Amino acid sequence: RNYFYGRWMQHGGMFPDRQIRFFRKDRGGYDDKISLEHLVLRGDIEDLQQGVYFDHYSSPTIQHHVRKLNRYTSAAAREKLKIIRKVTYLNLIGHHVVIVLKTLILRRGWQDGIHGCITAMFAGFYNFGKYAKAYEILKSVSSGSGGNHGADRL
């Protein structure tokens, strides 16, 4: 169960949130230590018993959430630049709007009240921030003011 700002988020695609949370260090790890997105494991994966949940207190405050988003969007921009060479208006605006609407309406985030609205906006902002930072890196590279896709600047 994911908690944002002290509240359990039951909608918006946040519950159930099946994630691998525990593993033996000698049986796996992350292949990318910066973004922590790609977990590689050897062995079986098991679920917790039915009705037993792991409580994940993701962001206790909005300020904490913003700081976390800043770190994550920087890492995500570097990852995105491994597969794209251009950022368009559609990347900046379209992904943000689609994620907000998907979270609020299709996944019923509105049922979590103001908390659901805030987390939906941040979910969209994550995509906006990722592409905006990728754009900034590309711009610095094209102007000659950065190397290595400017990733060291984020």
Coordinates of all heavy atoms in Angstrom, one line a residue, residues 5 27 49 106 144:
Y5 N 1.7 11.7 1.6 CA 1.2 12.8 2.5 C 0.4 12.3 3.7 O -0.5 12.9 4.1 CB 0.5 13.9 1.7 CG 0.9 14.1 0.3 CD1 0.0 13.9 -0.7 CD2 2.3 14.3 0.0 CE1 0.5 14.1 -2.1 CE2 2.7 14.4 -1.3 CZ 1.8 14.3 -2.3 OH 2.2 14.4 -3.6
R27 N 21.5 -12.7 -4.4 CA 20.6 -13.2 -5.5 C 20.1 -12.2 -6.5 O 19.4 -12.5 -7.4 CB 19.4 -13.9 -4.9 CG 19.7 -15.1 -3.9 CD 20.4 -16.2 -4.5 NE 19.4 -16.9 -5.4 CZ 19.7 -17.9 -6.2 NH1 20.9 -18.3 -6.3 NH2 18.8 -18.4 -7.0
Q49 N 1.5 -13.2 1.6 CA 0.3 -13.9 1.7 C -0.9 -13.0 1.4 O -0.8 -11.8 1.6 CB 0.1 -14.4 3.1 CG 1.1 -15.5 3.5 CD 0.9 -15.9 5.0 OE1 0.3 -15.2 5.8 NE2 1.3 -17.1 5.3
L106 N -9.2 7.3 -15.7 CA -9.2 5.9 -16.0 C -8.9 5.0 -14.8 O -9.5 4.0 -14.5 CB -8.2 5.5 -17.1 CG -8.6 6.1 -18.5 CD1 -7.5 5.7 -19.5 CD2 -10.0 5.6 -18.9
G144 N 27.3 23.5 -27.7 CA 28.7 23.3 -27.4 C 29.1 23.5 -25.9 O 30.2 23.5 -25.6

